[in-house]
C-alpha cells in the first residue's frame, strides 16, 4: 500500500495546470506552503508571470523559493497535516541544465539532484502537489541542448508519475485524470 499523498499535474503552457494545482491545495483545507522553482526574473515579461502567480495565491500560504535545491526545500518543509505545492519541475530542470552562473552541471551532478528529489518525494509525509509541463507532444527539437532538456524532462515526468498516487493532464483548462488513487 502506498502511504504517500502525491498528486502530479501536467500540461502545456497556459493549460491551467498551476491554477488547478492551486485549487487542489486550497481544497485540501491544510496549511499550504508553495515551493517556487523560478529564478528571479530578469525581464519584464517573466516578472509579470511571477506577479500573476503571486497575486492568485492566498496571502496566508507560506512561500519557499527553491530554484536549485528542491529536495532540500521539500525535506525542510515536509510535515504531516501539511500541503506542499511545487510549481514547477519545468523551471527547476532548466535551472539545473542552464544555471545562471554559467556552465551547465555535469550529468552526474544534475542526476544526483533528480535522484535526491525523487527520494524526498517517496518519503514525504505531507500532501504533495507537483506541477510540470508536458513538452514531449511535438516534433523532435533542433539542437542538442534542447533535445537534452526535452528528454530529461520527459524522463523526470515519468519518474514522478510512477511515484504519484494521482496524475492529471490539463488541456484547455480541463483536467483529464491519468491516474487515480489506488491505481497502479
Amino acid at each position: 500500500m502506498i502511504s504517500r499523498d502525491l498528486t502530479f499535474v501536467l500540461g502545456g503552457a497556459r493549460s491551467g495546470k498551476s491554477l488547478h494545482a492551486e485549487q487542489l491545495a486550497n481544497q485540501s483545507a491544510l496549511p499550504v506552503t508553495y515551493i517556487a522553482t523560478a529564478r528571479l526574473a530578469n525581464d519584464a515579461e517573466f516578472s509579470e508571470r511571477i506577479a500573476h502567480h503571486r497575486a492568485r495565491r492566498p496571502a496566508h500560504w507560506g512561500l519557499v523559493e527553491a530554484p536549485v535545491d528542491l529536495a532540500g526545500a521539500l525535506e525542510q518543509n515536509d510535515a504531516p497535516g501539511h500541503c506542499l505545492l511545487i510549481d514547477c519541475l519545468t523551471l527547476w530542470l532548466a535551472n539545473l541544465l542552464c544555471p545562471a552562473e554559467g556552465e551547465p552541471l555535469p550529468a552526474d551532478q544534475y542526476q544526483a539532484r533528480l535522484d535526491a528529489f525523487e527520494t524526498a518525494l517517496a518519503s514525504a509525509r505531507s500532501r504533495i502537489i507537483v506541477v510540470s509541463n508536458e513538452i514531449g507532444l511535438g516534433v523532435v527539437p533542433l539542437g542538442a541542448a534542447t533535445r537534452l532538456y526535452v528528454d530529461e524532462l520527459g524522463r523526470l515526468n515519468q519518474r514522478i508519475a510512477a511515484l504519484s498516487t494521482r496524475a492529471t493532464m490539463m488541456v484547455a483548462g480541463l483536467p483529464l485524470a491519468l491516474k487515480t488513487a489506488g491505481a497502479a
Side-chain angles (χ1 to χ4, degrees):
M1 181 175 122
I2 298 173
S3 60
R4 69 185 156 274
D5 186 353
L6 173 58
T7 300
F8 191 36
V9 180
L10 291 155
R14 296 289 182 246
S15 64
K17 63 191 173 296
S18 292
L19 178 60
H20 181 71
E22 291 163 5
Q23 290 169 341
L24 292 174
N26 208 31
Q27 292 166 3
S28 75
L30 298 170
V32 176
T33 298
Y34 186 99
I35 301 177
T37 63
R39 280 186 249 175
L40 293 178
N42 58 1
D43 65 67
E45 185 273 335
F46 199 68
S47 292
E48 285 181 33
R49 286 176 180 260
I50 291 172
H52 177 76
H53 277 255
R54 284 181 178 157
R56 200 171 58 202
R57 291 192 301 263
H60 64 275
W61 283 9
L63 173 65
V64 173
E65 294 179 352
V68 176
D69 188 13
L70 190 52
L74 175 57
E75 290 167 347
Q76 290 173 4
N77 292 279
D78 183 34
H82 198 81
C83 179
L84 301 177
L85 170 53
I86 300 168
D87 195 359
C88 70
L89 296 185
T90 314
L91 292 174
W92 177 57
L93 182 64
N95 295 340
L96 296 179
L97 295 179
C98 304
E101 308 82 44
E103 290 299 312
L105 292 174
D108 61 332
Q109 289 182 25
Y110 74 76
Q111 287 296 334
R113 291 202 178 263
L114 301 180
D115 293 345
F117 176 62
E118 184 177 6
T119 299
L121 278 178
S123 62
R125 300 163 295 152
S126 297
R127 175 162 194 214
I128 311 285
I129 302 166
V130 178
V131 177
S132 188
N133 281 58
E134 175 53 67
I135 61 171
L137 297 174
V139 298
V140 175
L142 296 174
T146 307
R147 282 192 301 275
L148 172 66
Y149 178 76
V150 169
D151 290 348
E152 290 297 340
L153 185 59
R155 289 183 193 106
L156 177 59
N157 285 346
Q158 288 181 51
R159 290 168 72 171
I160 305 311
L163 196 59
S164 71
T165 50
R166 285 171 300 286
T168 300
M169 175 76 158
M170 296 299 297
V171 178
L174 300 173
L176 302 170
L178 301 176
K179 184 177 184 181
T180 57

